[in-house]
Amino acid sequence: MGRGRLRIYLGAAPGVGKTYAMLSEAHRRVERGTDCVVAFVEHHARPRTEVMLHGLEEIPRTELAYRGGVFTEMDVDAVLARRPRVALVDELAHTNVPGSRNGKRWQDVEELLAAGIDVVSTVNIQHLESLGDVVESITGVRQKETVPDEVVRRADQIELVDMSPQALRRRMAHGNIYKPDKVDAALSNYFRPGNLTALRELALLWVADRVDEYLQQYRGEHGIRSTWQARERIVVGLTGGPEGRTLIRRAARLAEKGAGGEVLAVYIARSDGLTSASPKELAVQRTLVEDLGGTFHHVIGDDIPSALLEFARGVNASQIVLGVSRRKGWQYVFGPGVGATVARESGPDLDVHLITHDEVGKGRGLPVARGARLGRSRIIWGWLTGVAGPVLLALLLTHIDADLGLANDMLLFLTLTVAAALLGGLLPALASAAFGSLLLNYFFTQPLHRLTIADPKNIVALVIFVGVAVSVASVVDLAARRTHQAARLRAESEILSFLAGSVLRGETSVDALLERVRETFGMESVALLERTSDVDPWTCAASVGPDPPALPEDADVDMPVGDHMALALSGRVLPAEDRRVLAAFAAQSVVVLDRQRLQQEAEQARTLAEGNSIRTALLAAVSHDLRTPLAAIKAAVSSLRSDDVAWSQEDEAELLEGIEAGADRLDHLVGNLLDMSRLQTGTVTPLIREIDLDEVVPMALGGVPEDSVDLDIPETLPMVAVDPGLLERSVANIVENAVKYSPDGERVLVAASTLGDRVEVRVVDRGPGVPDEAKDRIFAPFQRYGDAPRGTGVGLGLAVARGFAEAMGGTLDAEDTPGGGLTMVLTVQAGPSRAGRLAELVQPERQAS
C-alpha cells in the first residue's frame, strides 16, 4: 500500500476562498466517481461555503470534553475505518483539543497519508512556522497555531488561492467572511490594505520559490542542462578586482528591467587555495551584492570558464555578466581569456555581457604579500646555515679519507640549501646554492683547487645542482610562507567571525568591544574618539585601560572611521598587516556605539510617548468619567438642600444611596489612577510573604454582588508568596471586569489550582470574549474593548492588575473560555515551604523503598 497524495490550497489571509475551492474540487471528483468524504470542514457560518457541503458525505466528528465545555474534532479512527479514496481536512495548522489523538491536525493528516488516503487541505501563509516573526512584524499579531514548512513543502500539489486586498475587503464589508458586528474591527486591524498586500506578497514569493524547487527537481531528474528562461537569473563573474563593483551594479540594473530578476555573484577560487584576489575587496563586493538584493557564492574550480558555466547552468541562469579582461596585450599569447572562452562555450541558451571598466588593460597584479615574517632569529640561522654550513661541510669532506663521489657531495650541499630555505627563506637558500656550487667546483671537481672544470660532465652536474637547489629553495620558501600566511589568515578569520557574531547577536557593548581590541592587539589602552566637525575638538565616546589617548596624534596607532571618528590605541606600534583586522574592529565599534545611542533615544521616545498618551487619556478620563459621578453627587446634594420640595424618607434614602454610590465610584477611579501612576514611576515595592489564597480572594469580592461569583479555592492548595494587598487589588479588578461583561444570570467562576511550583487563579466569564489580536491590548492603560459604555471606568483595571501581578513576580494573561467568553489566568509563585512539604512527603517513601 503506497502513501497517499497531499494537495494544499494556500491562501494569503482568511476569507480568500480556500475552503470554497477545496469543496469545489471535491464536487468535481465526486462527479468523476471518486470516493471522496468530508473528514473535517469548518464553514464558519458562511452561507455560500455551507451550501457547498450539500451532496458530500461527512464523517461524524468525535466529541471531547475540556474545561467544562464540549468540543468536536476530526475522528481519525472513523476516517481510517471508512478508508475513502480522498479525504477533505480543513485548517491544516489547527491545534487539537487536549485529549485528542494528536496534538496538531497536520499530524492527523500524516496518519491518513501513511494509510494510503489522499488528502486535500487548506492553510494560510501566516500559519507557516518560518514566517511567524515576519507576519507578526507586519500585522502585530503572533500566530499561535503554526505548521512546519516541511509539511507543506512535501505536498504533491500546492495551489495558491489569491485575491486582491480590495476585493477581500469588499467581501468582508458585505458580511461574507465575519459577522456584521465584527466587520469594522477586522477592517481596521488585521484586514488593513497594507497588511493584506504584504501577506499576499509573502504568499506569492513562497509559492514562487516552491515552483522553482519543482522546476529544479524536474530538470535534475531528467538530466536537463540547457537553460529554461522561466525567470531572469543573472550570474556575475568576480575576480576579486576593483571592477567587480561595476559589474554588480550593471547586473542589478539588468535584473530590474525584468520582473522577478535575480542576481547571483560568484567568485571561483582554485583548488590549491592560491589566489590573487583581495579578501578585503571580496568582502566589499559581497556586502554590495547583498545590499542590492542578490546573493554571493564561492565556488572551487581549476578551470574557471568551465566552472563558471557549470554554476550558471546549475542555477538555471539566463545571463552572465563578465568584465573585459585586465590582462595586458602581450598576455593574450597564453590564451583568449575567460570572457572570450565563456562567450564561445555558452551556447544559445546563455547571454554573455562583457562590460568595460576602468581597469581594462592595466594588468591583473599580484597583491599577495611576499613578506611573511619569519622572525629575526630564524633569518639569522638561515644565513648561518646557507653560508657557514657549506664551508664547514667542505672542510669536513676534505679531511676524511672516504671518497663519496661528486653526486653524493652535491646531495649533501643540496641538503644545506633546503635547510637554509626552511629556516631563513629564499635569499639564504639562493646564497647557499651559489656558495655551495663554488665550493664544489673548487674542492671536488677536476682540476682541484681551481675555479675551472676540465670534464664537461661535471659542468652539467654543477648546472643541474644549481637549478635543483634554486627550484627546491623556491618551493620550500613558498610553502613556508603560505603556511605562515594561512595560519595568520585563519587567526584573523576567527577573530572577525567572533566579532561579527557577537555584534549581530547584540551581545557586545562598546566598552566590551574596546576591551576585546585591547586584548587582541596587546595594547595598554584604547579610546573611541569623535567630533562633530573638522574644526571641533575631539571628545572621548568610550575608552578602556589607563590613560587613554585624548587625541589621535597622541596615540601609538590611530584608525580613522569616517570623517569624524577614530579608534586610538596606545601601547605599541602595530605592523601594517594588523591594521586590516583593526579596521574591522573600528568599524564595528562605531556601529555598536550608534546602536546603543539609537536604543537610548528609542527608550526616551517611548517613555515620552507613554507619558503623553497617559496625560491625554487622563485628561479624557477627568473630563468625562470623573465628572459623571461628580455631577450625580452634586445633583443629589442640591436636591436634598432644596427647600422647595418635601422629600419623603424613601426619596432621601435613595438620594443618599446615589451619593454613596457616586463617592465609591470616584474612590475606585482615583485609586486606579494613583495605582497606575505608581506603576509608571516604578514606586511599587511589594512586601512578599506567605499567605493562603482563601484569606485574600474572598476579600477581593466585596465590590461585586454576592450572587455573581462562584468561588472554588481548594483547601489543599499550597501557600503563595505574594503581597496580600497587591494580590487582593489585582483579583478585585479582574473579577469586577468579568462581572461587568458577563450576561445576566451567568455567574463568574473564580477557581485556583497548582501547576508545578506555581499557583493559578482563573477568573472565567461567559461574556462576548476577546479576539486573539486584542488580548494584549486590553491590558494597556485607558483601553476598553468593544462596546463598553462610557462611564463604566477609565480602562485601568486590567492594566493595574497586570502591573501588580508582574511586580510580585507573577503573570496575568487572557485565554478564550471554551464555549465562549474570556478567562483571566493570574499565576503567582508558590511559597518556599511547598518544597519543604514535598520533601517531607517524598522522604518516607524513599526510606520505605
Side-chain angles (χ1 to χ4, degrees), residues 795-832:
L796 285 177
L798 294 181
V800 170
R802 172 175 273 189
F804 283 169
E806 292 176 349
M808 295 184 293
T811 59
L812 177 61
D813 298 297
E815 297 180 356
D816 291 330
T817 301
L822 189 68
T823 298
M824 291 289 178
V825 183
L826 174 63
T827 305
V828 294
Q829 185 71 37

Side-chain angles (χ1 to χ4, degrees), residues 431-704:
S432 176
F435 197 36
S437 63
L438 292 176
L439 292 175
L440 284 169
N441 183 12
Y442 189 81
F443 287 105
F444 303 104
T445 59
Q446 298 294 332
L448 299 178
H449 307 298
R450 294 179 61 184
L451 294 177
T452 58
I453 303 174
D455 189 352
K457 295 181 180 179
N458 293 335
I459 298 177
V460 175
L462 285 175
V463 170
I464 293 175
F465 166 76
V466 174
V468 171
V470 171
S471 301
V472 171
S474 299
V475 172
V476 171
D477 172 68
L478 181 61
R481 293 179 184 276
R482 290 297 186 189
T483 301
H484 179 83
Q485 292 172 355
R488 177 174 183 82
L489 291 175
R490 179 180 178 183
E492 289 182 3
S493 66
E494 290 178 353
I495 293 173
L496 294 176
S497 176
F498 172 82
L499 172 66
S502 60
V503 171
L504 290 175
R505 292 190 299 269
E507 299 173 354
T508 305
S509 63
V510 177
D511 291 340
L513 186 59
L514 296 183
E515 182 63 30
R516 179 75 178 180
V517 174
R518 191 171 72 90
E519 293 176 356
T520 301
F521 297 100
M523 292 294 181
E524 293 180 358
S525 59
V526 181
L528 183 60
L529 306 177
E530 64 176 345
R531 59 181 179 180
T532 56
S533 67
D534 294 336
V535 297
D536 290 328
W538 289 95
T539 59
C540 183
S543 64
V544 294
D547 300 325
L551 297 173
E553 296 81 7
D554 299 337
D556 293 315
V557 180
D558 70 284
M559 177 60 65
V561 188
D563 296 330
H564 303 128
M565 298 198 78
L567 190 66
L569 300 86
S570 62
R572 66 185 180 93
V573 178
L574 288 179
E577 55 265 30
D578 286 342
R579 294 182 66 87
R580 179 174 56 187
V581 179
L582 181 61
F585 272 103
Q588 293 287 21
S589 63
V590 174
V591 171
V592 173
L593 179 64
D594 290 341
R595 185 173 63 192
Q596 285 188 352
R597 290 176 173 175
L598 288 174
Q599 289 175 345
Q600 294 173 358
E601 293 175 1
E603 183 64 24
Q604 294 174 357
R606 186 186 65 81
T607 303
L608 292 174
E610 288 181 354
N612 185 60
S613 64
I614 289 177
R615 283 193 295 270
T616 303
L618 181 58
L619 289 174
V622 171
S623 64
H624 187 281
D625 294 287
L626 296 182
R627 291 181 62 185
T628 299
L630 280 175
I633 293 174
K634 174 67 175 176
V637 171
S638 299
S639 299
L640 288 174
R641 288 175 55 88
S642 175
D643 297 331
D644 299 336
V645 179
W647 300 102
S648 64
Q649 292 184 353
E650 292 79 6
D651 293 335
E652 289 182 356
E654 184 177 351
L655 290 172
L656 290 173
E657 184 181 356
I659 293 173
E660 184 179 12
D664 290 341
R665 184 171 161 196
L666 276 176
D667 179 69
H668 182 73
L669 294 176
V670 172
N672 275 336
L673 288 171
L674 293 176
D675 289 339
M676 198 68 234
S677 175
R678 292 167 59 201
L679 289 170
Q680 292 290 337
T681 56
T683 58
V684 176
T685 305
L687 301 176
I688 305 297
R689 65 184 180 89
E690 290 191 32
I691 193 172
D692 286 322
L693 276 180
D694 54 9
E695 296 182 26
V696 179
V697 175
M699 298 175 62
L701 308 182
V704 297

Side-chain angles (χ1 to χ4, degrees), residues 1-4 109-117:
M1 179 181 60
R3 179 180 172 85
V109 169
E110 286 293 321
E111 284 198 39
L112 300 183
L113 295 173
I117 301 174

Side-chain angles (χ1 to χ4, degrees), residues 140-206:
V141 178
R142 182 67 179 184
Q143 298 294 333
K144 296 181 179 179
E145 293 187 330
T146 59
V147 58
D149 289 44
E150 185 60 28
V151 173
V152 182
R153 287 184 180 276
R154 286 201 306 263
D156 299 279
Q157 296 182 58
I158 299 176
E159 182 171 336
L160 178 65
V161 183
D162 190 24
M163 180 177 289
S164 69
Q166 295 78 9
L168 183 57
R169 285 172 59 84
R170 282 197 300 271
R171 289 194 63 193
M172 176 72 69
H174 294 160
N176 294 333
I177 301 176
Y178 290 156
K179 293 181 180 180
D181 59 339
K182 297 183 178 180
V183 169
D184 291 338
L187 289 175
S188 60
N189 289 283
Y190 193 88
F191 286 82
R192 294 195 299 267
N195 289 359
L196 297 178
T197 302
L199 292 174
R200 188 188 188 198
E201 184 177 13
L202 273 180
L204 291 171
L205 291 175
W206 195 92

